[in-house]
Amino acid sequence: IQIEENSYATSWISGGTGTLKTLTFNQGIMIEEGTTNLVSNPSLETDLTDWLGAYRCSIIRDNAYAKYGSWSCKATTASPGSLFYVAMPLVDVSANTAFSASVDVRPYQAHSMAGNLEVIFWGPNWTYLGQTSSINSAMGGGEWERLSVSFVTPAGCTIIEPRIRGTVNTGDGCIM
């Protein structure tokens, strides 16, 4: 996943003299201000520290598929057709700031899934302030798809929680 601050709220290109890198697997999540990555564990190449599988879902590192690098995060479920989500590392943010987020996902092997990218907004003392999400998308045939959402953090927001929420038709799960 990639999340960046939109200093000009326009496109995926960051301002200043830095360059924006397209990051998915070898740098599984990126949230940046300018060109500084703010994520505690952006790379799936080493481990899954700060990543969490929930709702009948477990996550493992997998090297069968990777869009970039050698490793990805594979979400599996024992209850095909059930809801799952994968929470990614929390990120400290400022209120009233524009961001764009995207993640490349695919079903494992040639199976199908439906999912979206959500961003949860938290205030002081874990006060829930709302959320935003990408359009729910159906994916099949083992093709990669980019889920994207742009948002402005609400007043009082201090932390965002990006996550993938979806369903899969088999226990093999999805890759991100």
Side-chain angles (χ1 to χ4, degrees), residues 106-147:
R106 62 165 284 161
Y108 198 74
Q109 298 175 347
H111 301 130
S112 63
M113 67 171 283
N116 64 354
L117 170 61
E118 295 180 337
V119 178
I120 313 301
F121 305 121
W122 298 101
N125 302 312
W126 294 102
T127 304
Y128 174 79
L129 300 175
Q131 67 187 60
T132 188
S133 65
S134 66
I135 294 172
N136 194 47
S137 182
M139 294 161 252
E143 299 299 319
W144 290 99
E145 183 164 336
R146 177 165 281 196
L147 304 176

PDB file of all heavy atoms in Angstrom, residues 106-147:
ATOM      1  N   ARG A 106      -4.478  -8.839  -5.437  1.00  0.00           N
ATOM      2  CA  ARG A 106      -4.920  -9.857  -6.387  1.00  0.00           C
ATOM      3  C   ARG A 106      -5.387 -11.070  -5.612  1.00  0.00           C
ATOM      4  O   ARG A 106      -4.916 -11.324  -4.505  1.00  0.00           O
ATOM      5  CB  ARG A 106      -3.816 -10.255  -7.349  1.00  0.00           C
ATOM      6  CG  ARG A 106      -2.607 -10.863  -6.674  1.00  0.00           C
ATOM      7  CD  ARG A 106      -1.672 -11.578  -7.597  1.00  0.00           C
ATOM      8  NE  ARG A 106      -2.231 -12.857  -7.975  1.00  0.00           N
ATOM      9  CZ  ARG A 106      -1.841 -13.549  -9.025  1.00  0.00           C
ATOM     10  NH1 ARG A 106      -0.887 -13.103  -9.795  1.00  0.00           N
ATOM     11  NH2 ARG A 106      -2.389 -14.699  -9.318  1.00  0.00           N
ATOM     12  N   PRO A 107      -6.317 -11.832  -6.185  1.00  0.00           N
ATOM     13  CA  PRO A 107      -6.676 -13.090  -5.543  1.00  0.00           C
ATOM     14  C   PRO A 107      -5.504 -14.059  -5.666  1.00  0.00           C
ATOM     15  O   PRO A 107      -4.701 -13.951  -6.585  1.00  0.00           O
ATOM     16  CB  PRO A 107      -7.878 -13.590  -6.341  1.00  0.00           C
ATOM     17  CG  PRO A 107      -8.119 -12.625  -7.431  1.00  0.00           C
ATOM     18  CD  PRO A 107      -7.077 -11.557  -7.376  1.00  0.00           C
ATOM     19  N   TYR A 108      -5.417 -14.985  -4.720  1.00  0.00           N
ATOM     20  CA  TYR A 108      -4.372 -16.001  -4.793  1.00  0.00           C
ATOM     21  C   TYR A 108      -4.698 -16.948  -5.934  1.00  0.00           C
ATOM     22  O   TYR A 108      -5.854 -17.324  -6.126  1.00  0.00           O
ATOM     23  CB  TYR A 108      -4.285 -16.755  -3.464  1.00  0.00           C
ATOM     24  CG  TYR A 108      -2.990 -17.494  -3.293  1.00  0.00           C
ATOM     25  CD1 TYR A 108      -1.821 -16.794  -3.011  1.00  0.00           C
ATOM     26  CD2 TYR A 108      -2.932 -18.862  -3.417  1.00  0.00           C
ATOM     27  CE1 TYR A 108      -0.614 -17.460  -2.851  1.00  0.00           C
ATOM     28  CE2 TYR A 108      -1.734 -19.534  -3.256  1.00  0.00           C
ATOM     29  CZ  TYR A 108      -0.574 -18.836  -2.975  1.00  0.00           C
ATOM     30  OH  TYR A 108       0.610 -19.498  -2.819  1.00  0.00           O
ATOM     31  N   GLN A 109      -3.719 -17.345  -6.702  1.00  0.00           N
ATOM     32  CA  GLN A 109      -3.874 -18.196  -7.877  1.00  0.00           C
ATOM     33  C   GLN A 109      -4.876 -17.535  -8.815  1.00  0.00           C
ATOM     34  O   GLN A 109      -4.808 -16.354  -9.044  1.00  0.00           O
ATOM     35  CB  GLN A 109      -4.253 -19.615  -7.469  1.00  0.00           C
ATOM     36  CG  GLN A 109      -3.160 -20.245  -6.626  1.00  0.00           C
ATOM     37  CD  GLN A 109      -3.538 -21.607  -6.096  1.00  0.00           C
ATOM     38  OE1 GLN A 109      -4.687 -22.017  -6.142  1.00  0.00           O
ATOM     39  NE2 GLN A 109      -2.561 -22.321  -5.561  1.00  0.00           N
ATOM     40  N   ALA A 110      -5.817 -18.272  -9.362  1.00  0.00           N
ATOM     41  CA  ALA A 110      -6.766 -17.692 -10.319  1.00  0.00           C
ATOM     42  C   ALA A 110      -8.166 -17.581  -9.716  1.00  0.00           C
ATOM     43  O   ALA A 110      -9.155 -17.586 -10.419  1.00  0.00           O
ATOM     44  CB  ALA A 110      -6.797 -18.537 -11.583  1.00  0.00           C
ATOM     45  N   HIS A 111      -8.254 -17.518  -8.415  1.00  0.00           N
ATOM     46  CA  HIS A 111      -9.549 -17.434  -7.754  1.00  0.00           C
ATOM     47  C   HIS A 111     -10.120 -16.026  -7.857  1.00  0.00           C
ATOM     48  O   HIS A 111      -9.574 -15.175  -8.536  1.00  0.00           O
ATOM     49  CB  HIS A 111      -9.416 -17.884  -6.297  1.00  0.00           C
ATOM     50  CG  HIS A 111      -8.907 -19.282  -6.182  1.00  0.00           C
ATOM     51  ND1 HIS A 111      -7.860 -19.621  -5.361  1.00  0.00           N
ATOM     52  CD2 HIS A 111      -9.263 -20.419  -6.816  1.00  0.00           C
ATOM     53  CE1 HIS A 111      -7.614 -20.918  -5.483  1.00  0.00           C
ATOM     54  NE2 HIS A 111      -8.453 -21.419  -6.364  1.00  0.00           N
ATOM     55  N   SER A 112     -11.240 -15.782  -7.182  1.00  0.00           N
ATOM     56  CA  SER A 112     -11.851 -14.453  -7.242  1.00  0.00           C
ATOM     57  C   SER A 112     -12.038 -13.888  -5.840  1.00  0.00           C
ATOM     58  O   SER A 112     -12.049 -14.622  -4.854  1.00  0.00           O
ATOM     59  CB  SER A 112     -13.192 -14.511  -7.973  1.00  0.00           C
ATOM     60  OG  SER A 112     -14.097 -15.328  -7.275  1.00  0.00           O
ATOM     61  N   MET A 113     -12.162 -12.586  -5.768  1.00  0.00           N
ATOM     62  CA  MET A 113     -12.377 -11.904  -4.503  1.00  0.00           C
ATOM     63  C   MET A 113     -13.050 -10.563  -4.774  1.00  0.00           C
ATOM     64  O   MET A 113     -13.111 -10.108  -5.907  1.00  0.00           O
ATOM     65  CB  MET A 113     -11.052 -11.668  -3.763  1.00  0.00           C
ATOM     66  CG  MET A 113     -10.120 -10.693  -4.449  1.00  0.00           C
ATOM     67  SD  MET A 113      -8.678 -10.225  -3.473  1.00  0.00           S
ATOM     68  CE  MET A 113      -9.379  -9.075  -2.315  1.00  0.00           C
ATOM     69  N   ALA A 114     -13.552  -9.973  -3.726  1.00  0.00           N
ATOM     70  CA  ALA A 114     -14.059  -8.607  -3.781  1.00  0.00           C
ATOM     71  C   ALA A 114     -13.457  -7.882  -2.590  1.00  0.00           C
ATOM     72  O   ALA A 114     -13.302  -8.467  -1.514  1.00  0.00           O
ATOM     73  CB  ALA A 114     -15.578  -8.589  -3.698  1.00  0.00           C
ATOM     74  N   GLY A 115     -13.079  -6.636  -2.771  1.00  0.00           N
ATOM     75  CA  GLY A 115     -12.474  -5.927  -1.651  1.00  0.00           C
ATOM     76  C   GLY A 115     -12.360  -4.446  -1.879  1.00  0.00           C
ATOM     77  O   GLY A 115     -12.624  -3.948  -2.966  1.00  0.00           O
ATOM     78  N   ASN A 116     -11.974  -3.738  -0.827  1.00  0.00           N
ATOM     79  CA  ASN A 116     -11.719  -2.320  -0.925  1.00  0.00           C
ATOM     80  C   ASN A 116     -10.642  -1.911   0.070  1.00  0.00           C
ATOM     81  O   ASN A 116     -10.295  -2.657   0.975  1.00  0.00           O
ATOM     82  CB  ASN A 116     -12.989  -1.495  -0.748  1.00  0.00           C
ATOM     83  CG  ASN A 116     -13.606  -1.619   0.625  1.00  0.00           C
ATOM     84  OD1 ASN A 116     -13.169  -2.402   1.452  1.00  0.00           O
ATOM     85  ND2 ASN A 116     -14.620  -0.845   0.886  1.00  0.00           N
ATOM     86  N   LEU A 117     -10.109  -0.736  -0.140  1.00  0.00           N
ATOM     87  CA  LEU A 117      -9.112  -0.141   0.743  1.00  0.00           C
ATOM     88  C   LEU A 117      -9.845   0.841   1.644  1.00  0.00           C
ATOM     89  O   LEU A 117     -10.529   1.733   1.150  1.00  0.00           O
ATOM     90  CB  LEU A 117      -8.054   0.588  -0.087  1.00  0.00           C
ATOM     91  CG  LEU A 117      -7.068   1.472   0.659  1.00  0.00           C
ATOM     92  CD1 LEU A 117      -6.248   0.673   1.660  1.00  0.00           C
ATOM     93  CD2 LEU A 117      -6.165   2.180  -0.335  1.00  0.00           C
ATOM     94  N   GLU A 118      -9.747   0.641   2.948  1.00  0.00           N
ATOM     95  CA  GLU A 118     -10.368   1.546   3.914  1.00  0.00           C
ATOM     96  C   GLU A 118      -9.289   2.304   4.670  1.00  0.00           C
ATOM     97  O   GLU A 118      -8.196   1.784   4.872  1.00  0.00           O
ATOM     98  CB  GLU A 118     -11.172   0.765   4.956  1.00  0.00           C
ATOM     99  CG  GLU A 118     -12.348   0.029   4.423  1.00  0.00           C
ATOM    100  CD  GLU A 118     -13.099  -0.713   5.514  1.00  0.00           C
ATOM    101  OE1 GLU A 118     -12.513  -1.021   6.575  1.00  0.00           O
ATOM    102  OE2 GLU A 118     -14.269  -0.981   5.294  1.00  0.00           O
ATOM    103  N   VAL A 119      -9.623   3.499   5.101  1.00  0.00           N
ATOM    104  CA  VAL A 119      -8.756   4.268   5.988  1.00  0.00           C
ATOM    105  C   VAL A 119      -9.627   4.731   7.147  1.00  0.00           C
ATOM    106  O   VAL A 119     -10.625   5.418   6.943  1.00  0.00           O
ATOM    107  CB  VAL A 119      -8.112   5.473   5.274  1.00  0.00           C
ATOM    108  CG1 VAL A 119      -7.251   6.267   6.253  1.00  0.00           C
ATOM    109  CG2 VAL A 119      -7.286   5.017   4.076  1.00  0.00           C
ATOM    110  N   ILE A 120      -9.262   4.317   8.363  1.00  0.00           N
ATOM    111  CA  ILE A 120     -10.004   4.670   9.578  1.00  0.00           C
ATOM    112  C   ILE A 120      -9.305   5.864  10.221  1.00  0.00           C
ATOM    113  O   ILE A 120      -8.084   5.881  10.335  1.00  0.00           O
ATOM    114  CB  ILE A 120     -10.035   3.496  10.581  1.00  0.00           C
ATOM    115  CG1 ILE A 120     -10.399   2.178   9.880  1.00  0.00           C
ATOM    116  CG2 ILE A 120     -10.943   3.803  11.759  1.00  0.00           C
ATOM    117  CD1 ILE A 120     -11.714   2.173   9.181  1.00  0.00           C
ATOM    118  N   PHE A 121     -10.091   6.852  10.659  1.00  0.00           N
ATOM    119  CA  PHE A 121      -9.549   8.051  11.299  1.00  0.00           C
ATOM    120  C   PHE A 121      -9.728   7.948  12.811  1.00  0.00           C
ATOM    121  O   PHE A 121     -10.833   7.719  13.297  1.00  0.00           O
ATOM    122  CB  PHE A 121     -10.274   9.307  10.796  1.00  0.00           C
ATOM    123  CG  PHE A 121     -10.264   9.453   9.300  1.00  0.00           C
ATOM    124  CD1 PHE A 121     -11.456   9.511   8.597  1.00  0.00           C
ATOM    125  CD2 PHE A 121      -9.073   9.527   8.592  1.00  0.00           C
ATOM    126  CE1 PHE A 121     -11.469   9.647   7.219  1.00  0.00           C
ATOM    127  CE2 PHE A 121      -9.074   9.664   7.211  1.00  0.00           C
ATOM    128  CZ  PHE A 121     -10.277   9.728   6.515  1.00  0.00           C
ATOM    129  N   TRP A 122      -8.627   8.156  13.552  1.00  0.00           N
ATOM    130  CA  TRP A 122      -8.654   8.100  15.014  1.00  0.00           C
ATOM    131  C   TRP A 122      -8.167   9.419  15.601  1.00  0.00           C
ATOM    132  O   TRP A 122      -7.221  10.022  15.095  1.00  0.00           O
ATOM    133  CB  TRP A 122      -7.759   6.976  15.537  1.00  0.00           C
ATOM    134  CG  TRP A 122      -8.175   5.609  15.091  1.00  0.00           C
ATOM    135  CD1 TRP A 122      -7.618   4.864  14.084  1.00  0.00           C
ATOM    136  CD2 TRP A 122      -9.236   4.820  15.626  1.00  0.00           C
ATOM    137  NE1 TRP A 122      -8.274   3.663  13.963  1.00  0.00           N
ATOM    138  CE2 TRP A 122      -9.279   3.604  14.904  1.00  0.00           C
ATOM    139  CE3 TRP A 122     -10.159   5.022  16.642  1.00  0.00           C
ATOM    140  CZ2 TRP A 122     -10.189   2.591  15.157  1.00  0.00           C
ATOM    141  CZ3 TRP A 122     -11.078   4.004  16.907  1.00  0.00           C
ATOM    142  CH2 TRP A 122     -11.094   2.814  16.179  1.00  0.00           C
ATOM    143  N   GLY A 123      -8.804   9.828  16.693  1.00  0.00           N
ATOM    144  CA  GLY A 123      -8.386  11.018  17.428  1.00  0.00           C
ATOM    145  C   GLY A 123      -7.709  10.620  18.721  1.00  0.00           C
ATOM    146  O   GLY A 123      -7.408   9.450  18.948  1.00  0.00           O
ATOM    147  N   PRO A 124      -7.473  11.596  19.609  1.00  0.00           N
ATOM    148  CA  PRO A 124      -6.848  11.298  20.905  1.00  0.00           C
ATOM    149  C   PRO A 124      -7.641  10.240  21.670  1.00  0.00           C
ATOM    150  O   PRO A 124      -8.864  10.164  21.564  1.00  0.00           O
ATOM    151  CB  PRO A 124      -6.883  12.646  21.626  1.00  0.00           C
ATOM    152  CG  PRO A 124      -6.975  13.667  20.533  1.00  0.00           C
ATOM    153  CD  PRO A 124      -7.776  13.015  19.438  1.00  0.00           C
ATOM    154  N   ASN A 125      -6.929   9.406  22.424  1.00  0.00           N
ATOM    155  CA  ASN A 125      -7.537   8.334  23.223  1.00  0.00           C
ATOM    156  C   ASN A 125      -8.379   7.377  22.378  1.00  0.00           C
ATOM    157  O   ASN A 125      -9.383   6.859  22.836  1.00  0.00           O
ATOM    158  CB  ASN A 125      -8.370   8.918  24.371  1.00  0.00           C
ATOM    159  CG  ASN A 125      -7.543   9.791  25.278  1.00  0.00           C
ATOM    160  OD1 ASN A 125      -6.456   9.401  25.702  1.00  0.00           O
ATOM    161  ND2 ASN A 125      -8.034  10.983  25.550  1.00  0.00           N
ATOM    162  N   TRP A 126      -7.962   7.161  21.148  1.00  0.00           N
ATOM    163  CA  TRP A 126      -8.631   6.226  20.229  1.00  0.00           C
ATOM    164  C   TRP A 126     -10.100   6.571  19.998  1.00  0.00           C
ATOM    165  O   TRP A 126     -10.958   5.702  19.916  1.00  0.00           O
ATOM    166  CB  TRP A 126      -8.456   4.773  20.692  1.00  0.00           C
ATOM    167  CG  TRP A 126      -7.018   4.390  20.606  1.00  0.00           C
ATOM    168  CD1 TRP A 126      -6.136   4.308  21.645  1.00  0.00           C
ATOM    169  CD2 TRP A 126      -6.284   4.116  19.423  1.00  0.00           C
ATOM    170  NE1 TRP A 126      -4.892   3.982  21.177  1.00  0.00           N
ATOM    171  CE2 TRP A 126      -4.945   3.856  19.815  1.00  0.00           C
ATOM    172  CE3 TRP A 126      -6.601   4.054  18.086  1.00  0.00           C
ATOM    173  CZ2 TRP A 126      -3.950   3.546  18.901  1.00  0.00           C
ATOM    174  CZ3 TRP A 126      -5.608   3.740  17.178  1.00  0.00           C
ATOM    175  CH2 TRP A 126      -4.304   3.482  17.595  1.00  0.00           C
ATOM    176  N   THR A 127     -10.385   7.843  19.868  1.00  0.00           N
ATOM    177  CA  THR A 127     -11.726   8.299  19.528  1.00  0.00           C
ATOM    178  C   THR A 127     -11.944   8.078  18.030  1.00  0.00           C
ATOM    179  O   THR A 127     -11.203   8.611  17.204  1.00  0.00           O
ATOM    180  CB  THR A 127     -11.894   9.798  19.851  1.00  0.00           C
ATOM    181  OG1 THR A 127     -11.573   9.997  21.213  1.00  0.00           O
ATOM    182  CG2 THR A 127     -13.307  10.258  19.560  1.00  0.00           C
ATOM    183  N   TYR A 128     -12.967   7.289  17.701  1.00  0.00           N
ATOM    184  CA  TYR A 128     -13.284   7.021  16.292  1.00  0.00           C
ATOM    185  C   TYR A 128     -13.856   8.281  15.665  1.00  0.00           C
ATOM    186  O   TYR A 128     -14.827   8.849  16.158  1.00  0.00           O
ATOM    187  CB  TYR A 128     -14.287   5.859  16.200  1.00  0.00           C
ATOM    188  CG  TYR A 128     -14.788   5.600  14.805  1.00  0.00           C
ATOM    189  CD1 TYR A 128     -14.005   4.897  13.897  1.00  0.00           C
ATOM    190  CD2 TYR A 128     -16.036   6.056  14.393  1.00  0.00           C
ATOM    191  CE1 TYR A 128     -14.454   4.650  12.608  1.00  0.00           C
ATOM    192  CE2 TYR A 128     -16.500   5.812  13.108  1.00  0.00           C
ATOM    193  CZ  TYR A 128     -15.698   5.110  12.222  1.00  0.00           C
ATOM    194  OH  TYR A 128     -16.141   4.868  10.957  1.00  0.00           O
ATOM    195  N   LEU A 129     -13.258   8.723  14.543  1.00  0.00           N
ATOM    196  CA  LEU A 129     -13.701   9.949  13.873  1.00  0.00           C
ATOM    197  C   LEU A 129     -14.326   9.689  12.508  1.00  0.00           C
ATOM    198  O   LEU A 129     -14.758  10.623  11.854  1.00  0.00           O
ATOM    199  CB  LEU A 129     -12.519  10.907  13.718  1.00  0.00           C
ATOM    200  CG  LEU A 129     -11.846  11.370  15.010  1.00  0.00           C
ATOM    201  CD1 LEU A 129     -10.616  12.208  14.693  1.00  0.00           C
ATOM    202  CD2 LEU A 129     -12.833  12.149  15.861  1.00  0.00           C
ATOM    203  N   GLY A 130     -14.353   8.452  12.075  1.00  0.00           N
ATOM    204  CA  GLY A 130     -14.936   8.134  10.775  1.00  0.00           C
ATOM    205  C   GLY A 130     -13.974   7.334   9.919  1.00  0.00           C
ATOM    206  O   GLY A 130     -12.919   6.889  10.368  1.00  0.00           O
ATOM    207  N   GLN A 131     -14.372   7.163   8.670  1.00  0.00           N
ATOM    208  CA  GLN A 131     -13.543   6.408   7.744  1.00  0.00           C
ATOM    209  C   GLN A 131     -13.906   6.761   6.323  1.00  0.00           C
ATOM    210  O   GLN A 131     -14.943   7.370   6.069  1.00  0.00           O
ATOM    211  CB  GLN A 131     -13.682   4.914   7.975  1.00  0.00           C
ATOM    212  CG  GLN A 131     -15.048   4.344   7.632  1.00  0.00           C
ATOM    213  CD  GLN A 131     -15.153   2.895   8.040  1.00  0.00           C
ATOM    214  OE1 GLN A 131     -15.020   2.584   9.215  1.00  0.00           O
ATOM    215  NE2 GLN A 131     -15.388   2.010   7.083  1.00  0.00           N
ATOM    216  N   THR A 132     -13.047   6.366   5.410  1.00  0.00           N
ATOM    217  CA  THR A 132     -13.299   6.512   3.988  1.00  0.00           C
ATOM    218  C   THR A 132     -12.826   5.231   3.322  1.00  0.00           C
ATOM    219  O   THR A 132     -12.062   4.469   3.908  1.00  0.00           O
ATOM    220  CB  THR A 132     -12.568   7.746   3.411  1.00  0.00           C
ATOM    221  OG1 THR A 132     -13.000   7.960   2.068  1.00  0.00           O
ATOM    222  CG2 THR A 132     -11.061   7.577   3.443  1.00  0.00           C
ATOM    223  N   SER A 133     -13.308   4.962   2.123  1.00  0.00           N
ATOM    224  CA  SER A 133     -12.854   3.748   1.442  1.00  0.00           C
ATOM    225  C   SER A 133     -12.938   3.898  -0.064  1.00  0.00           C
ATOM    226  O   SER A 133     -13.659   4.744  -0.590  1.00  0.00           O
ATOM    227  CB  SER A 133     -13.676   2.532   1.891  1.00  0.00           C
ATOM    228  OG  SER A 133     -15.010   2.669   1.492  1.00  0.00           O
ATOM    229  N   SER A 134     -12.173   3.049  -0.732  1.00  0.00           N
ATOM    230  CA  SER A 134     -12.225   2.978  -2.186  1.00  0.00           C
ATOM    231  C   SER A 134     -13.516   2.285  -2.591  1.00  0.00           C
ATOM    232  O   SER A 134     -14.220   1.707  -1.762  1.00  0.00           O
ATOM    233  CB  SER A 134     -11.020   2.195  -2.714  1.00  0.00           C
ATOM    234  OG  SER A 134     -11.097   0.839  -2.300  1.00  0.00           O
ATOM    235  N   ILE A 135     -13.808   2.311  -3.851  1.00  0.00           N
ATOM    236  CA  ILE A 135     -14.967   1.591  -4.382  1.00  0.00           C
ATOM    237  C   ILE A 135     -14.699   0.098  -4.226  1.00  0.00           C
ATOM    238  O   ILE A 135     -13.582  -0.374  -4.476  1.00  0.00           O
ATOM    239  CB  ILE A 135     -15.184   1.942  -5.860  1.00  0.00           C
ATOM    240  CG1 ILE A 135     -15.562   3.418  -5.976  1.00  0.00           C
ATOM    241  CG2 ILE A 135     -16.229   1.051  -6.501  1.00  0.00           C
ATOM    242  CD1 ILE A 135     -15.620   3.921  -7.394  1.00  0.00           C
ATOM    243  N   ASN A 136     -15.705  -0.664  -3.798  1.00  0.00           N
ATOM    244  CA  ASN A 136     -15.560  -2.110  -3.693  1.00  0.00           C
ATOM    245  C   ASN A 136     -15.366  -2.679  -5.097  1.00  0.00           C
ATOM    246  O   ASN A 136     -16.079  -2.333  -6.020  1.00  0.00           O
ATOM    247  CB  ASN A 136     -16.804  -2.719  -3.035  1.00  0.00           C
ATOM    248  CG  ASN A 136     -16.567  -4.142  -2.600  1.00  0.00           C
ATOM    249  OD1 ASN A 136     -15.552  -4.445  -1.980  1.00  0.00           O
ATOM    250  ND2 ASN A 136     -17.494  -5.014  -2.915  1.00  0.00           N
ATOM    251  N   SER A 137     -14.385  -3.535  -5.248  1.00  0.00           N
ATOM    252  CA  SER A 137     -14.035  -4.034  -6.563  1.00  0.00           C
ATOM    253  C   SER A 137     -14.006  -5.558  -6.575  1.00  0.00           C
ATOM    254  O   SER A 137     -13.483  -6.176  -5.655  1.00  0.00           O
ATOM    255  CB  SER A 137     -12.658  -3.484  -6.948  1.00  0.00           C
ATOM    256  OG  SER A 137     -12.316  -3.908  -8.232  1.00  0.00           O
ATOM    257  N   ALA A 138     -14.579  -6.150  -7.616  1.00  0.00           N
ATOM    258  CA  ALA A 138     -14.524  -7.604  -7.806  1.00  0.00           C
ATOM    259  C   ALA A 138     -13.312  -7.919  -8.671  1.00  0.00           C
ATOM    260  O   ALA A 138     -13.080  -7.264  -9.689  1.00  0.00           O
ATOM    261  CB  ALA A 138     -15.790  -8.098  -8.474  1.00  0.00           C
ATOM    262  N   MET A 139     -12.515  -8.895  -8.238  1.00  0.00           N
ATOM    263  CA  MET A 139     -11.302  -9.262  -8.960  1.00  0.00           C
ATOM    264  C   MET A 139     -11.297 -10.757  -9.203  1.00  0.00           C
ATOM    265  O   MET A 139     -11.745 -11.516  -8.368  1.00  0.00           O
ATOM    266  CB  MET A 139     -10.066  -8.902  -8.129  1.00  0.00           C
ATOM    267  CG  MET A 139      -9.873  -7.423  -7.915  1.00  0.00           C
ATOM    268  SD  MET A 139      -8.793  -7.119  -6.529  1.00  0.00           S
ATOM    269  CE  MET A 139      -9.985  -6.503  -5.356  1.00  0.00           C
ATOM    270  N   GLY A 140     -10.772 -11.170 -10.334  1.00  0.00           N
ATOM    271  CA  GLY A 140     -10.695 -12.594 -10.633  1.00  0.00           C
ATOM    272  C   GLY A 140      -9.592 -12.888 -11.621  1.00  0.00           C
ATOM    273  O   GLY A 140      -8.998 -11.991 -12.196  1.00  0.00           O
ATOM    274  N   GLY A 141      -9.326 -14.154 -11.808  1.00  0.00           N
ATOM    275  CA  GLY A 141      -8.356 -14.581 -12.801  1.00  0.00           C
ATOM    276  C   GLY A 141      -6.910 -14.338 -12.428  1.00  0.00           C
ATOM    277  O   GLY A 141      -6.033 -14.444 -13.259  1.00  0.00           O
ATOM    278  N   GLY A 142      -6.643 -13.995 -11.185  1.00  0.00           N
ATOM    279  CA  GLY A 142      -5.262 -13.801 -10.764  1.00  0.00           C
ATOM    280  C   GLY A 142      -4.627 -12.521 -11.261  1.00  0.00           C
ATOM    281  O   GLY A 142      -3.408 -12.408 -11.290  1.00  0.00           O
ATOM    282  N   GLU A 143      -5.431 -11.536 -11.652  1.00  0.00           N
ATOM    283  CA  GLU A 143      -4.895 -10.265 -12.138  1.00  0.00           C
ATOM    284  C   GLU A 143      -4.718  -9.277 -10.996  1.00  0.00           C
ATOM    285  O   GLU A 143      -5.493  -9.259 -10.046  1.00  0.00           O
ATOM    286  CB  GLU A 143      -5.826  -9.663 -13.196  1.00  0.00           C
ATOM    287  CG  GLU A 143      -6.005 -10.530 -14.421  1.00  0.00           C
ATOM    288  CD  GLU A 143      -4.700 -10.777 -15.168  1.00  0.00           C
ATOM    289  OE1 GLU A 143      -3.902  -9.824 -15.300  1.00  0.00           O
ATOM    290  OE2 GLU A 143      -4.486 -11.915 -15.593  1.00  0.00           O
ATOM    291  N   TRP A 144      -3.696  -8.423 -11.094  1.00  0.00           N
ATOM    292  CA  TRP A 144      -3.469  -7.364 -10.117  1.00  0.00           C
ATOM    293  C   TRP A 144      -4.452  -6.234 -10.344  1.00  0.00           C
ATOM    294  O   TRP A 144      -4.769  -5.904 -11.478  1.00  0.00           O
ATOM    295  CB  TRP A 144      -2.052  -6.808 -10.249  1.00  0.00           C
ATOM    296  CG  TRP A 144      -1.010  -7.775  -9.800  1.00  0.00           C
ATOM    297  CD1 TRP A 144      -0.250  -8.586 -10.594  1.00  0.00           C
ATOM    298  CD2 TRP A 144      -0.633  -8.044  -8.459  1.00  0.00           C
ATOM    299  NE1 TRP A 144       0.584  -9.341  -9.804  1.00  0.00           N
ATOM    300  CE2 TRP A 144       0.373  -9.025  -8.492  1.00  0.00           C
ATOM    301  CE3 TRP A 144      -1.047  -7.545  -7.223  1.00  0.00           C
ATOM    302  CZ2 TRP A 144       0.974  -9.518  -7.346  1.00  0.00           C
ATOM    303  CZ3 TRP A 144      -0.444  -8.030  -6.082  1.00  0.00           C
ATOM    304  CH2 TRP A 144       0.552  -9.009  -6.149  1.00  0.00           C
ATOM    305  N   GLU A 145      -4.912  -5.633  -9.272  1.00  0.00           N
ATOM    306  CA  GLU A 145      -5.767  -4.454  -9.370  1.00  0.00           C
ATOM    307  C   GLU A 145      -5.343  -3.456  -8.304  1.00  0.00           C
ATOM    308  O   GLU A 145      -5.040  -3.837  -7.180  1.00  0.00           O
ATOM    309  CB  GLU A 145      -7.233  -4.820  -9.180  1.00  0.00           C
ATOM    310  CG  GLU A 145      -8.127  -3.610  -9.352  1.00  0.00           C
ATOM    311  CD  GLU A 145      -9.574  -3.963  -9.554  1.00  0.00           C
ATOM    312  OE1 GLU A 145      -9.880  -5.079 -10.004  1.00  0.00           O
ATOM    313  OE2 GLU A 145     -10.411  -3.101  -9.259  1.00  0.00           O
ATOM    314  N   ARG A 146      -5.338  -2.190  -8.673  1.00  0.00           N
ATOM    315  CA  ARG A 146      -4.988  -1.124  -7.734  1.00  0.00           C
ATOM    316  C   ARG A 146      -6.275  -0.530  -7.157  1.00  0.00           C
ATOM    317  O   ARG A 146      -7.141  -0.087  -7.890  1.00  0.00           O
ATOM    318  CB  ARG A 146      -4.184  -0.030  -8.410  1.00  0.00           C
ATOM    319  CG  ARG A 146      -3.879   1.129  -7.466  1.00  0.00           C
ATOM    320  CD  ARG A 146      -2.819   2.001  -7.993  1.00  0.00           C
ATOM    321  NE  ARG A 146      -1.559   1.305  -7.722  1.00  0.00           N
ATOM    322  CZ  ARG A 146      -0.381   1.883  -7.764  1.00  0.00           C
ATOM    323  NH1 ARG A 146      -0.272   3.144  -8.071  1.00  0.00           N
ATOM    324  NH2 ARG A 146       0.700   1.186  -7.496  1.00  0.00           N
ATOM    325  N   LEU A 147      -6.370  -0.557  -5.832  1.00  0.00           N
ATOM    326  CA  LEU A 147      -7.467   0.086  -5.117  1.00  0.00           C
ATOM    327  C   LEU A 147      -6.944   1.422  -4.611  1.00  0.00           C
ATOM    328  O   LEU A 147      -5.854   1.478  -4.029  1.00  0.00           O
ATOM    329  CB  LEU A 147      -7.918  -0.782  -3.942  1.00  0.00           C
ATOM    330  CG  LEU A 147      -8.340  -2.209  -4.273  1.00  0.00           C
ATOM    331  CD1 LEU A 147      -8.655  -2.975  -2.992  1.00  0.00           C
ATOM    332  CD2 LEU A 147      -9.522  -2.207  -5.221  1.00  0.00           C
TER     333      LEU A 147
END
